[in-house]
Amino acid sequence: MRYIIILFRFIILGYSLPAAAFTYYVSPLGDDAQAGTTVSTAWRTIGRVNAATLLPGDRVLFEGGQTFAGSIDLGRNAGTPDRPLVVGSYGRQAAVIASGTSFGLYAYNSAGVEVRHLVFRGDGRSVNTEQGVNFYIDTPDTHLQYLRLDSLEVSGYHYNGIIVGSWSGTSGYADVHITNCQAHANGEGGIVSYAEALAAHHNWYVGNCQAFDNAGLPDVTYTNTGSGIVMSGIDGVLVEKCEAYHNGWLNANQSGGPVGIWGYCCNNLVIQHCESHHNSSGTRHDGGGFDLDGGCTNSILQYNYSHHNGGPGYLLAQYYGAPPMHDLTVRYNVSEDDARQYSQGAIQVWSSGASGGIQRALIHNNTVVVTPPADGSQPKALLIMSDAFSDLLLRNNVLVTAGGLPVLSTASTTSLRLEANCYWNATQLRLDWAGTTYADLGSWRAATGQEQLADGRATGVSADPKLASADPTLAPTPGSPIQGAGLNLRAEFNVSPGPQDFVGNPTPTKTSPSNIGAIETLAAPLPVVLTEFTAVQAGTAALLSWRTASEQNNAYFAVEGSPDGIVFKRLGLVAGHGTSTLAHPYQYRDTALVRAATGAVYYRLQQVDTNGRVTYSPTRVLTPVVALGTRAGAAGPVLQLYPNPAQPQELVVVEGPAGTRVHVLTVRGQLVASAVVAASGQASLCLTTLTPGLYIVQCGQQRAKLTVN
């Protein structure tokens, strides 16, 4: 009997062990008839992967640097949080999934999945008919755990690059991370979530992602299209260190438009440390940087940088039919030259009144600067478009316009308080208050009771805030009247302002003075005086040289490069000399970026001091010779522009095939300049009629981006 019991125990133990996990390899040199479990017995096609039954813990790895035609259909294959099913690449490079007109990857009612280090390519938004990477639930009462989407590049799909959603009541995904991903050149949008019910999804993180060149769909008029990153239907989501730019210009919805980074129908949504710029809309609505939209509750926009968007930098909007929207905070953000289209506001509030409208919103310690746009419209630093809100409070904000633009415009004055803000226009202050215009702070305060506390204390400043215009943080400089002129939110209202300001300084204690604006300290003197910075070609390398006249606490220089002048990546580090009053020369040789270039290459220096403070050099442009700038297999040199970025007063030289015509287009396709390439292979473009912004230069079948600063 004793032996029988021992045998039974071994049988039970055997059944409790998990099944062995396998790694399957896929290579263009493989064979679908083989086992696939080693590199030498690899499968060959995506079709073989789709035919396999994959179990928790299994991995499917495609050979890096190779291209595989088809779509990955995981079906209901799934893993678990402890034993995820992994799809990725082997080798140093990412494999390319070329899905043509179909989807890139689809998973249906499954989770416990990791998709990593892959490139998904559709045939283009006007040719492809599907989503890129798509996870979807439609079974009732289904709550799936664990998704990891990391280091993916998804482009060329008709709809969205990455989309995770559910449509069955409260069914949804929990514990979702989307990190280090790029979603670009798609039609409907970049990175998107959605759900049928509020709070269907839980506990999401989206970090270090980029969404750009997602145009929108010109044939869709019933909803907005062309956003960068959109979160919806989630309870608990953090979006940070992401960038969205040049999205939305083909949106065709007349009732609303896209936004760079935003959310709706979310609880506890936090968007922080992100940058959103050069987004637009094909219609008269939106096209801005950041947005907390209908149905958002207990949500925060903080430490973000919005600039040069067609629409608002920061928007609060409650759409028709939306669920309740309440307890919102917009703090320590910077907006620089937003609202470039259709007379919108850099900070803008609109409410339909649905479900009680917008309730309890605090907008504090933001810095807004707006200059006149090229289209002649009248943007405002602050625009309140409607009523249907309650307890809307604006405190400690810097609101600056130029050229006579309105600083403030509001259609409603009910349940709206403005306290301790700085209002400034060097030409003439203009405060539009429910049909009446005031030209100075004192008369507006006396007539409306704004900028005055309950105990009778007058607040607010109407003076030049003396911001450091060369510093992207727009920090106040010595002598600024906004220093110490803000209200201490802890002491006055028992409201926590959060842990830090826009650049990471701690927020004031209960007994400390508060600045007005996004920075709680003054702009410090530059730690390094840069006297020279050049980029020249040296054989097959780019030689960067720079010189400093003096250095203070200089830890190092980070050399950054970019193929388009917009997105820069770190190439290497060069140690500094600490603190020195002597001149010091520096050099750095780039052999990687310049060799891979198909056109101009952009370089800049990031100087980092011992305290972590960061400043940037001007950008330098290197146009490689034909031997470096010719694309493999191309008939001739690639389209090249220099200088790029350029100033409005400069001539831009275009290199292209002789006799061809060069066109300069806005991002919406409007022709603004043209020239003919001479026999020398060059054409000169005069930029004196162009306003700062992003343009497309087209020569024959080739196109390149041109930035006018």
Side-chain angles (χ1 to χ4, degrees):
M1 185 66 177
R2 179 170 176 266
Y3 298 106
I4 295 174
I5 292 173
I6 292 174
L7 177 61
F8 179 72
R9 286 177 179 170
F10 274 109
I11 292 172
I12 295 298
L13 180 61
Y15 275 112
S16 67
L17 291 174
F22 292 95
T23 298
Y24 298 100
Y25 298 90
V26 190
S27 168
L29 300 179
D31 184 340
D32 286 347
Q34 298 185 123
T37 52
T38 66
V39 173
S40 61
T41 63
W43 295 336
R44 187 174 60 86
T45 67
I46 293 176
R48 180 63 183 87
V49 175
N50 294 342
T53 299
L54 302 174
L55 300 176
D58 285 350
R59 299 193 304 163
V60 177
L61 304 180
F62 294 84
E63 184 177 354
Q66 302 299 318
T67 298
F68 300 85
S71 304
I72 300 174
D73 189 348
L74 293 183
R76 295 176 182 267
N77 288 326
T80 67
D82 295 331
R83 291 168 56 82
L85 170 61
V86 178
V87 180
S89 303
Y90 68 92
R92 297 184 62 182
Q93 295 179 283
V96 177
I97 308 300
S99 48
T101 61
S102 189
F103 60 86
L105 181 146
Y106 180 58
Y108 178 54
N109 291 323
S110 68
V113 176
E114 297 183 3
V115 184
R116 299 182 178 275
H117 195 44
L118 286 169
V119 175
F120 292 91
R121 270 188 206 145
D123 276 352
R125 57 182 168 80
S126 60
V127 177
N128 184 274
T129 60
E130 294 288 346
Q131 311 276 6
V133 174
N134 184 5
F135 283 79
Y136 176 62
I137 300 171
D138 67 357
T139 55
D141 198 26
T142 301
H143 307 280
L144 299 179
Q145 301 283 327
Y146 192 86
L147 288 181
R148 297 292 185 268
L149 307 180
D150 179 70
S151 301
L152 306 179
E153 181 185 352
V154 190
S155 65
Y157 292 91
H158 182 72
Y159 293 106
N160 299 283
I162 297 173
I163 182 164
V164 180
S166 63
W167 206 256
S168 183
T170 59
S171 294
Y173 292 93
D175 189 14
V176 175
H177 287 197
I178 304 174
T179 52
N180 308 305
C181 292
Q182 290 187 341
H184 62 96
N186 302 294
E188 187 170 3
I191 300 173
V192 175
S193 77
Y194 67 96
E196 183 178 19
L198 288 172
H201 307 300
H202 298 269
N203 187 23
W204 283 40
Y205 177 79
V206 180
N208 196 35
C209 292
Q210 292 179 322
F212 56 96
D213 293 343
N214 300 292
L217 299 176
D219 57 340
V220 174
T221 59
Y222 58 86
T223 188
N224 63 79
T225 61
S227 290
I229 299 174
V230 188
M231 297 288 101
S232 173
I234 310 173
D235 184 4
V237 51
L238 173 61
V239 180
E240 66 175 358
K241 300 176 183 177
C242 293
E243 182 182 16
Y245 62 92
H246 193 220
N247 298 292
W249 68 93
L250 292 182
N251 169 68
N253 180 27
Q254 297 296 325
S255 299
V259 177
I261 303 176
W262 63 294
Y264 67 98
C265 294
C266 284
N267 180 57
N268 192 20
L269 164 63
V270 177
I271 302 174
Q272 64 180 18
H273 301 295
C274 294
E275 182 178 3
S276 188
H277 58 100
H278 295 96
N279 300 292
S280 60
S281 174
T283 61
R284 300 185 62 85
H285 297 283
D286 303 318
F290 298 90
D291 174 22
L292 296 178
D293 215 284
C296 278
T297 56
N298 306 300
S299 297
I300 301 174
L301 295 175
Q302 60 186 7
Y303 323 133
N304 300 296
Y305 180 35
S306 177
H307 59 101
H308 301 95
N309 292 291
Y314 303 93
L315 172 66
L316 300 181
Q318 173 73 330
Y319 61 84
Y320 291 102
M325 184 176 187
H326 59 78
D327 296 291
L328 310 173
T329 302
V330 182
R331 64 190 180 195
Y332 291 109
N333 304 283
V334 169
S335 168
E336 184 177 9
D337 270 339
D338 285 316
R340 312 313 289 164
Q341 298 174 305
Y342 311 124
S343 301
Q344 301 184 78
I347 295 178
Q348 185 166 305
V349 179
W350 175 80
S351 174
S352 68
S355 303
I358 300 174
Q359 304 170 53
R360 299 183 299 279
L362 174 57
I363 302 172
H364 73 86
N365 288 98
N366 302 283
T367 297
V368 176
V369 174
V370 183
T371 61
D375 65 0
S377 60
Q378 293 278 300
K380 296 86 179 168
L382 171 63
L383 174 60
I384 312 296
M385 297 182 66
S386 67
D387 52 12
F389 54 78
S390 58
D391 296 316
L392 177 60
L393 308 174
L394 294 103
R395 294 171 173 147
N396 296 352
N397 301 287
V398 171
L399 304 172
V400 176
T401 61
L405 295 176
V407 171
L408 161 67
S409 178
T410 179
S412 175
T413 63
T414 304
S415 199
L416 169 65
R417 292 297 304 167
L418 294 103
E419 297 165 347
N421 302 288
C422 175
Y423 310 86
W424 179 247
N425 184 293
T427 304
Q428 175 62 63
L429 185 65
R430 179 177 162 186
L431 305 170
D432 294 338
W433 188 256
T436 302
T437 297
Y438 298 89
D440 66 273
L441 177 60
S443 59
W444 176 57
R445 180 190 292 124
T448 65
Q450 297 293 326
E451 290 297 346
Q452 185 171 318
L453 301 183
D455 60 8
R457 283 180 290 160
T459 60
V461 172
S462 182
D464 184 352
K466 297 183 179 179
L467 305 178
S469 58
D471 187 339
T473 66
L474 298 179
T477 58
S480 170
I482 65 177
Q483 184 183 16
L487 289 170
N488 187 306
L489 301 186
R490 299 180 197 269
E492 297 281 356
F493 310 105
N494 197 30
V495 170
S496 171
Q500 65 178 64
D501 70 1
F502 178 70
V503 295
N505 299 312
T507 53
T509 65
K510 204 166 188 176
T511 58
S512 302
S514 176
N515 283 1
I516 300 176
I519 310 292
E520 293 291 357
T521 59
L522 292 176
L526 291 177
V528 171
V529 178
L530 189 69
T531 59
E532 178 185 336
F533 177 36
T534 61
V536 297
Q537 188 172 326
T540 59
L543 178 62
L544 311 183
S545 302
W546 63 99
R547 181 181 294 271
T548 62
S550 63
E551 301 181 21
Q552 182 178 358
N553 300 323
N554 182 18
Y556 60 87
F557 293 95
V559 180
E560 297 185 339
S562 168
D564 58 11
I566 298 176
V567 180
F568 284 82
K569 292 186 178 180
R570 181 171 290 187
L571 304 178
L573 302 179
V574 178
H577 283 83
T579 298
S580 172
T581 58
L582 301 177
H584 290 285
Y586 295 88
Q587 284 191 343
Y588 179 86
R589 292 176 64 87
D590 167 44
T591 58
L593 179 63
V594 72
R595 284 181 178 175
T598 57
V601 183
Y602 304 80
Y603 294 99
R604 70 183 183 188
L605 303 175
Q606 181 193 65
Q607 186 275 319
V608 182
D609 69 18
T610 54
N611 295 321
R613 176 182 164 87
V614 172
T615 57
Y616 285 93
S617 74
T619 300
R620 296 293 181 254
V621 185
L622 174 63
T623 303
V625 297
V626 172
L628 293 178
T630 301
R631 184 181 293 114
V638 222
L639 182 61
Q640 297 179 358
L641 321 172
Y642 54 91
N644 188 8
Q647 301 294 323
Q649 69 272 17
E650 290 180 317
L651 283 176
V652 169
V653 177
V654 181
E655 293 187 359
T660 56
R661 180 166 288 277
V662 178
H663 299 288
V664 182
L665 310 169
T666 67
V667 293
R668 300 183 65 190
Q670 179 185 4
L671 178 66
V672 292
S674 64
V676 176
V677 179
S680 63
Q682 294 184 341
S684 296
L685 294 171
C686 180
L687 304 186
T688 53
T689 61
L690 300 188
T691 57
L694 185 65
Y695 295 85
I696 303 299
V697 177
Q698 183 168 349
C699 182
Q701 298 299 314
Q702 299 184 63
R703 307 182 88 191
K705 293 179 183 177
L706 169 64
T707 301
V708 178
N709 289 331

